[in-house]
Amino acid sequence: MTSSTQEVHVLLVEDDPGDVLMTQEALETGRTRSTVHVVGDGVEAMAFLRKEGDYADAPTPDLVLLDLNMPRKDGREVLAEVKADEQLRMIPVVVLTTSGAEDDVVRSYSLHANAYVTKPMSFEDFSDVVRHIDDFFTDVAR
């Protein structure tokens, strides 16, 4: 568990600007002091996580919120790479996506996602879900 005064780094891997904004707003109103780092596709996500190129000084995130459907490298590929990498596999990865397809859920868990959450449609519900994820992975889970 993290102290509520400790800064938590969240990597948001999301290509939809509206979902980025809603996630950032939800995390800003949460109990935990979070710094949200945003990348728009899986290629950038892996560069951030591996501290490559422009991300050489990037912090190791305490939590990754990962969309599945993105350009260049999708979330499934990112999840597989993260969980196969000894240096990265301990970072909690929550799949946060619009897909409720059973195949996506099963595949995400088989790739060792820590949780699978389908994005609610309303802003209020979306914000509540993101805050619950943040609270659980930064204040409750260890």
Side-chain angles (χ1 to χ4, degrees), residues 2 4 10 13-14 17 38 42 49-50 58 65 70 72 90 94 101 110-111 113 123 129 141:
T2 343
S4 60
V10 177
V13 186
E14 174 63 66
V38 180
L49 291 165
R50 291 183 173 140
L65 299 177
M70 295 178 298
R72 299 202 303 163
M90 298 299 288
V94 175
S110 72
L111 292 170
F123 173 73
V129 163

PDB file of all heavy atoms in Angstrom, residues 2 4 10 13-14 17 38 42 49-50 58 65 70 72 90 94 101 110-111 113 123 129 141:
ATOM      1  N   THR A   2       0.367   2.288  -0.553  1.00  0.00           N
ATOM      2  CA  THR A   2       1.103   3.525  -0.658  1.00  0.00           C
ATOM      3  C   THR A   2       0.510   4.551   0.280  1.00  0.00           C
ATOM      4  O   THR A   2      -0.690   4.607   0.461  1.00  0.00           O
ATOM      5  CB  THR A   2       0.999   4.095  -2.089  1.00  0.00           C
ATOM      6  OG1 THR A   2       0.570   3.094  -2.975  1.00  0.00           O
ATOM      7  CG2 THR A   2       2.294   4.628  -2.562  1.00  0.00           C
ATOM      8  N   SER A   4      -0.928   8.033   1.371  1.00  0.00           N
ATOM      9  CA  SER A   4      -1.722   8.981   0.585  1.00  0.00           C
ATOM     10  C   SER A   4      -0.937  10.244   0.255  1.00  0.00           C
ATOM     11  O   SER A   4      -1.352  11.010  -0.600  1.00  0.00           O
ATOM     12  CB  SER A   4      -3.017   9.326   1.314  1.00  0.00           C
ATOM     13  OG  SER A   4      -2.723   9.902   2.551  1.00  0.00           O
ATOM     14  N   VAL A  10       1.150   7.020 -12.764  1.00  0.00           N
ATOM     15  CA  VAL A  10       0.239   6.192 -13.546  1.00  0.00           C
ATOM     16  C   VAL A  10       0.575   6.400 -15.019  1.00  0.00           C
ATOM     17  O   VAL A  10       0.651   7.538 -15.488  1.00  0.00           O
ATOM     18  CB  VAL A  10      -1.233   6.581 -13.293  1.00  0.00           C
ATOM     19  CG1 VAL A  10      -2.167   5.763 -14.182  1.00  0.00           C
ATOM     20  CG2 VAL A  10      -1.593   6.412 -11.821  1.00  0.00           C
ATOM     21  N   VAL A  13      -2.170   4.427 -21.225  1.00  0.00           N
ATOM     22  CA  VAL A  13      -1.917   4.080 -22.624  1.00  0.00           C
ATOM     23  C   VAL A  13      -3.265   4.128 -23.331  1.00  0.00           C
ATOM     24  O   VAL A  13      -4.055   3.198 -23.251  1.00  0.00           O
ATOM     25  CB  VAL A  13      -1.252   2.681 -22.739  1.00  0.00           C
ATOM     26  CG1 VAL A  13      -0.858   2.418 -24.186  1.00  0.00           C
ATOM     27  CG2 VAL A  13      -0.056   2.556 -21.803  1.00  0.00           C
ATOM     28  N   GLU A  14      -3.511   5.249 -24.002  1.00  0.00           N
ATOM     29  CA  GLU A  14      -4.847   5.535 -24.535  1.00  0.00           C
ATOM     30  C   GLU A  14      -4.727   6.446 -25.747  1.00  0.00           C
ATOM     31  O   GLU A  14      -4.028   7.461 -25.684  1.00  0.00           O
ATOM     32  CB  GLU A  14      -5.686   6.204 -23.445  1.00  0.00           C
ATOM     33  CG  GLU A  14      -7.035   6.688 -23.863  1.00  0.00           C
ATOM     34  CD  GLU A  14      -7.953   5.573 -24.327  1.00  0.00           C
ATOM     35  OE1 GLU A  14      -8.332   4.724 -23.504  1.00  0.00           O
ATOM     36  OE2 GLU A  14      -8.283   5.565 -25.537  1.00  0.00           O
ATOM     37  N   PRO A  17      -8.508  11.021 -27.159  1.00  0.00           N
ATOM     38  CA  PRO A  17      -8.297  12.226 -26.347  1.00  0.00           C
ATOM     39  C   PRO A  17      -9.384  12.452 -25.291  1.00  0.00           C
ATOM     40  O   PRO A  17      -9.100  12.937 -24.192  1.00  0.00           O
ATOM     41  CB  PRO A  17      -8.281  13.367 -27.366  1.00  0.00           C
ATOM     42  CG  PRO A  17      -7.996  12.721 -28.676  1.00  0.00           C
ATOM     43  CD  PRO A  17      -8.542  11.318 -28.587  1.00  0.00           C
ATOM     44  N   VAL A  38       0.915  10.088 -20.193  1.00  0.00           N
ATOM     45  CA  VAL A  38       0.043   9.600 -21.261  1.00  0.00           C
ATOM     46  C   VAL A  38       0.860   9.301 -22.510  1.00  0.00           C
ATOM     47  O   VAL A  38       1.685  10.117 -22.932  1.00  0.00           O
ATOM     48  CB  VAL A  38      -1.041  10.648 -21.603  1.00  0.00           C
ATOM     49  CG1 VAL A  38      -1.949  10.142 -22.714  1.00  0.00           C
ATOM     50  CG2 VAL A  38      -1.847  11.014 -20.361  1.00  0.00           C
ATOM     51  N   GLY A  42       0.881   1.626 -28.339  1.00  0.00           N
ATOM     52  CA  GLY A  42       1.698   0.607 -27.696  1.00  0.00           C
ATOM     53  C   GLY A  42       3.190   0.755 -27.919  1.00  0.00           C
ATOM     54  O   GLY A  42       3.991   0.386 -27.060  1.00  0.00           O
ATOM     55  N   LEU A  49       8.109   2.513 -20.864  1.00  0.00           N
ATOM     56  CA  LEU A  49       8.400   1.507 -19.839  1.00  0.00           C
ATOM     57  C   LEU A  49       9.863   1.065 -19.859  1.00  0.00           C
ATOM     58  O   LEU A  49      10.436   0.769 -18.806  1.00  0.00           O
ATOM     59  CB  LEU A  49       7.481   0.298 -20.018  1.00  0.00           C
ATOM     60  CG  LEU A  49       6.012   0.562 -19.687  1.00  0.00           C
ATOM     61  CD1 LEU A  49       5.130  -0.546 -20.233  1.00  0.00           C
ATOM     62  CD2 LEU A  49       5.825   0.720 -18.189  1.00  0.00           C
ATOM     63  N   ARG A  50      10.454   1.050 -21.035  1.00  0.00           N
ATOM     64  CA  ARG A  50      11.859   0.633 -21.156  1.00  0.00           C
ATOM     65  C   ARG A  50      12.825   1.808 -21.103  1.00  0.00           C
ATOM     66  O   ARG A  50      14.031   1.628 -21.264  1.00  0.00           O
ATOM     67  CB  ARG A  50      12.043  -0.161 -22.450  1.00  0.00           C
ATOM     68  CG  ARG A  50      11.337  -1.506 -22.386  1.00  0.00           C
ATOM     69  CD  ARG A  50      11.578  -2.334 -23.619  1.00  0.00           C
ATOM     70  NE  ARG A  50      11.014  -3.664 -23.438  1.00  0.00           N
ATOM     71  CZ  ARG A  50      10.371  -4.334 -24.380  1.00  0.00           C
ATOM     72  NH1 ARG A  50      10.223  -3.809 -25.595  1.00  0.00           N
ATOM     73  NH2 ARG A  50       9.891  -5.531 -24.133  1.00  0.00           N
ATOM     74  N   ALA A  58      12.020   8.758 -17.862  1.00  0.00           N
ATOM     75  CA  ALA A  58      10.658   8.460 -17.384  1.00  0.00           C
ATOM     76  C   ALA A  58      10.714   7.664 -16.086  1.00  0.00           C
ATOM     77  O   ALA A  58      11.577   6.803 -15.911  1.00  0.00           O
ATOM     78  CB  ALA A  58       9.895   7.665 -18.442  1.00  0.00           C
ATOM     79  N   LEU A  65      -2.637   1.830 -16.911  1.00  0.00           N
ATOM     80  CA  LEU A  65      -4.013   1.716 -17.403  1.00  0.00           C
ATOM     81  C   LEU A  65      -3.895   1.572 -18.911  1.00  0.00           C
ATOM     82  O   LEU A  65      -3.403   2.472 -19.591  1.00  0.00           O
ATOM     83  CB  LEU A  65      -4.836   2.953 -17.032  1.00  0.00           C
ATOM     84  CG  LEU A  65      -4.986   3.229 -15.535  1.00  0.00           C
ATOM     85  CD1 LEU A  65      -5.774   4.524 -15.313  1.00  0.00           C
ATOM     86  CD2 LEU A  65      -5.651   2.067 -14.838  1.00  0.00           C
ATOM     87  N   MET A  70      -5.549   0.080 -30.107  1.00  0.00           N
ATOM     88  CA  MET A  70      -4.742   1.260 -30.410  1.00  0.00           C
ATOM     89  C   MET A  70      -3.977   1.047 -31.714  1.00  0.00           C
ATOM     90  O   MET A  70      -3.778  -0.082 -32.140  1.00  0.00           O
ATOM     91  CB  MET A  70      -3.735   1.506 -29.290  1.00  0.00           C
ATOM     92  CG  MET A  70      -4.356   1.860 -27.967  1.00  0.00           C
ATOM     93  SD  MET A  70      -3.105   2.072 -26.719  1.00  0.00           S
ATOM     94  CE  MET A  70      -2.379   0.449 -26.655  1.00  0.00           C
ATOM     95  N   ARG A  72      -0.609   1.079 -34.220  1.00  0.00           N
ATOM     96  CA  ARG A  72       0.787   0.629 -34.235  1.00  0.00           C
ATOM     97  C   ARG A  72       1.039  -0.645 -33.441  1.00  0.00           C
ATOM     98  O   ARG A  72       1.542  -1.598 -33.968  1.00  0.00           O
ATOM     99  CB  ARG A  72       1.756   1.725 -33.793  1.00  0.00           C
ATOM    100  CG  ARG A  72       1.703   2.930 -34.706  1.00  0.00           C
ATOM    101  CD  ARG A  72       2.909   3.781 -34.682  1.00  0.00           C
ATOM    102  NE  ARG A  72       3.292   4.301 -33.389  1.00  0.00           N
ATOM    103  CZ  ARG A  72       4.493   4.796 -33.147  1.00  0.00           C
ATOM    104  NH1 ARG A  72       5.412   4.831 -34.081  1.00  0.00           N
ATOM    105  NH2 ARG A  72       4.779   5.288 -31.967  1.00  0.00           N
ATOM    106  N   MET A  90       6.195  -6.910 -12.742  1.00  0.00           N
ATOM    107  CA  MET A  90       5.608  -6.652 -11.425  1.00  0.00           C
ATOM    108  C   MET A  90       4.715  -5.401 -11.404  1.00  0.00           C
ATOM    109  O   MET A  90       3.984  -5.177 -10.444  1.00  0.00           O
ATOM    110  CB  MET A  90       6.705  -6.514 -10.376  1.00  0.00           C
ATOM    111  CG  MET A  90       7.533  -7.779 -10.214  1.00  0.00           C
ATOM    112  SD  MET A  90       6.570  -9.206  -9.688  1.00  0.00           S
ATOM    113  CE  MET A  90       6.257  -8.753  -8.006  1.00  0.00           C
ATOM    114  N   VAL A  94      -3.857  -2.697 -15.573  1.00  0.00           N
ATOM    115  CA  VAL A  94      -5.308  -2.798 -15.624  1.00  0.00           C
ATOM    116  C   VAL A  94      -5.738  -2.486 -17.049  1.00  0.00           C
ATOM    117  O   VAL A  94      -5.440  -1.408 -17.570  1.00  0.00           O
ATOM    118  CB  VAL A  94      -5.976  -1.813 -14.644  1.00  0.00           C
ATOM    119  CG1 VAL A  94      -7.490  -1.838 -14.804  1.00  0.00           C
ATOM    120  CG2 VAL A  94      -5.588  -2.137 -13.212  1.00  0.00           C
ATOM    121  N   ALA A 101     -16.004  -7.894 -24.912  1.00  0.00           N
ATOM    122  CA  ALA A 101     -15.985  -9.210 -25.551  1.00  0.00           C
ATOM    123  C   ALA A 101     -15.307 -10.240 -24.657  1.00  0.00           C
ATOM    124  O   ALA A 101     -14.213  -9.997 -24.134  1.00  0.00           O
ATOM    125  CB  ALA A 101     -15.258  -9.139 -26.892  1.00  0.00           C
ATOM    126  N   SER A 110      -5.292 -14.266 -19.517  1.00  0.00           N
ATOM    127  CA  SER A 110      -4.292 -15.289 -19.847  1.00  0.00           C
ATOM    128  C   SER A 110      -2.923 -14.658 -20.068  1.00  0.00           C
ATOM    129  O   SER A 110      -1.897 -15.318 -19.890  1.00  0.00           O
ATOM    130  CB  SER A 110      -4.718 -16.116 -21.056  1.00  0.00           C
ATOM    131  OG  SER A 110      -4.613 -15.367 -22.245  1.00  0.00           O
ATOM    132  N   LEU A 111      -2.902 -13.362 -20.414  1.00  0.00           N
ATOM    133  CA  LEU A 111      -1.643 -12.625 -20.554  1.00  0.00           C
ATOM    134  C   LEU A 111      -1.231 -11.974 -19.237  1.00  0.00           C
ATOM    135  O   LEU A 111      -0.306 -11.182 -19.197  1.00  0.00           O
ATOM    136  CB  LEU A 111      -1.779 -11.559 -21.654  1.00  0.00           C
ATOM    137  CG  LEU A 111      -1.924 -12.100 -23.076  1.00  0.00           C
ATOM    138  CD1 LEU A 111      -2.286 -10.969 -24.039  1.00  0.00           C
ATOM    139  CD2 LEU A 111      -0.653 -12.808 -23.517  1.00  0.00           C
ATOM    140  N   ALA A 113      -3.055  -9.904 -17.088  1.00  0.00           N
ATOM    141  CA  ALA A 113      -3.562  -8.594 -16.669  1.00  0.00           C
ATOM    142  C   ALA A 113      -3.948  -8.699 -15.196  1.00  0.00           C
ATOM    143  O   ALA A 113      -4.422  -9.735 -14.738  1.00  0.00           O
ATOM    144  CB  ALA A 113      -4.783  -8.209 -17.495  1.00  0.00           C
ATOM    145  N   PHE A 123     -19.788   9.950 -18.034  1.00  0.00           N
ATOM    146  CA  PHE A 123     -18.612  10.550 -17.407  1.00  0.00           C
ATOM    147  C   PHE A 123     -18.559  10.233 -15.920  1.00  0.00           C
ATOM    148  O   PHE A 123     -17.510   9.873 -15.387  1.00  0.00           O
ATOM    149  CB  PHE A 123     -18.587  12.065 -17.627  1.00  0.00           C
ATOM    150  CG  PHE A 123     -17.489  12.730 -16.851  1.00  0.00           C
ATOM    151  CD1 PHE A 123     -16.163  12.597 -17.247  1.00  0.00           C
ATOM    152  CD2 PHE A 123     -17.767  13.462 -15.713  1.00  0.00           C
ATOM    153  CE1 PHE A 123     -15.138  13.192 -16.514  1.00  0.00           C
ATOM    154  CE2 PHE A 123     -16.749  14.058 -14.981  1.00  0.00           C
ATOM    155  CZ  PHE A 123     -15.432  13.927 -15.388  1.00  0.00           C
ATOM    156  N   VAL A 129     -15.228   4.627 -11.729  1.00  0.00           N
ATOM    157  CA  VAL A 129     -14.462   3.412 -11.996  1.00  0.00           C
ATOM    158  C   VAL A 129     -12.967   3.694 -11.915  1.00  0.00           C
ATOM    159  O   VAL A 129     -12.214   2.953 -11.278  1.00  0.00           O
ATOM    160  CB  VAL A 129     -14.846   2.810 -13.373  1.00  0.00           C
ATOM    161  CG1 VAL A 129     -13.811   1.817 -13.862  1.00  0.00           C
ATOM    162  CG2 VAL A 129     -16.209   2.151 -13.290  1.00  0.00           C
ATOM    163  N   ALA A 141      -4.314  -2.615  -2.370  1.00  0.00           N
ATOM    164  CA  ALA A 141      -3.484  -3.757  -2.787  1.00  0.00           C
ATOM    165  C   ALA A 141      -2.027  -3.517  -2.432  1.00  0.00           C
ATOM    166  O   ALA A 141      -1.546  -2.400  -2.378  1.00  0.00           O
ATOM    167  CB  ALA A 141      -3.624  -3.965  -4.302  1.00  0.00           C
TER     168      ALA A 141
END
